[in-house]
Amino acid sequence: MPYQQEGSGMPDNTLTLIGPRIKGWREKRSMTLAELSRAAGISASTLSRLEAGKRAPNLELIVPIARELGLGLDDLVPRTAPDPRVPRTTKHVDGVRFETLSLESSPVQTYKITLPGKPKGGTEVPDPQVHEGREWLYVLSGRLRLVLGEQEVTLGSGEAAEFDTRVPHWMSAAGPGPVELLSIFSKEGKRIHLRARSTPR
């Protein structure tokens, strides 16, 4: 049964990893259990139980052990990784669907974007946007119309593009069906894209 240490501030599964880490570092330093026991002023039985996960670690034990092994406390106390899952949110802006694939705090924002198909018998007049940064996109399905400066290209499923967003740019579906793509850009790029709109004519 895992031990519980009150007031440790660490979950039980983190505490149970400290003993094996001590043993691993001791062996890397080519120290016997008896040698570390004498150097740290901890009984061999206590150290043995600690390494085996049968004794709850505390600062009175860890600090002298870390000192004798030439380590910092961070080397013995594993950091608890945050939940890596990204909360999924969806926004609809002018008929375009944005699904978040990155955390709000991420230095770059990643979205799955679904652009509606081109209206039957109608055309869309580009309203290019300009902002700092670069954008990378990958077409998942459908055909994408990308206007970049004076040129216009059509990208199909499996094709990717990367461009300087200081160049006027605009995108829409190239046909009657919707187009899905992955897009990665800076927070400034996110702001511009969520405001951008296409004008059906």
Side-chain angles (χ1 to χ4, degrees), residues 29-109:
R29 299 289 192 262
S30 299
M31 294 181 71
T32 66
L33 190 145
E35 288 172 340
L36 180 57
S37 169
R38 287 193 300 271
I42 298 171
S43 71
S45 61
T46 297
L47 181 58
S48 176
R49 293 178 63 233
L50 181 60
E51 289 188 349
K54 297 178 181 180
R55 169 67 186 265
N58 56 50
L59 289 178
E60 291 182 356
L61 295 174
I62 296 175
V63 169
I65 290 173
R67 182 179 61 246
E68 296 305 323
L69 292 175
L71 303 172
L73 290 180
D74 287 346
D75 296 313
L76 294 179
V77 180
R79 297 177 181 177
T80 302
D83 189 336
R85 292 173 293 185
V86 175
R88 298 290 293 275
T89 60
T90 301
K91 296 180 181 179
H92 291 84
V93 181
D94 301 322
V96 179
R97 177 186 175 96
F98 294 85
E99 296 178 64
T100 58
L101 299 178
S102 60
L103 295 174
E104 181 66 26
S105 59
S106 175
V108 294
Q109 298 297 302

Side-chain angles (χ1 to χ4, degrees), residues 7 9 15 23 26 29 33 42 63 77 85-86 89 118-120 127 133 135-136 139 150 153 163 176 186 193 201:
L15 291 172
K23 182 178 181 180
R26 175 175 62 76
R29 299 289 192 262
L33 190 145
I42 298 171
V63 169
V77 180
R85 292 173 293 185
V86 175
T89 60
K118 184 172 66 175
K120 187 176 182 181
D127 179 19
E135 178 166 355
W136 177 90
V139 180
E150 298 297 322
V153 297
F163 54 89
S186 66
H193 276 260
R201 295 288 175 85

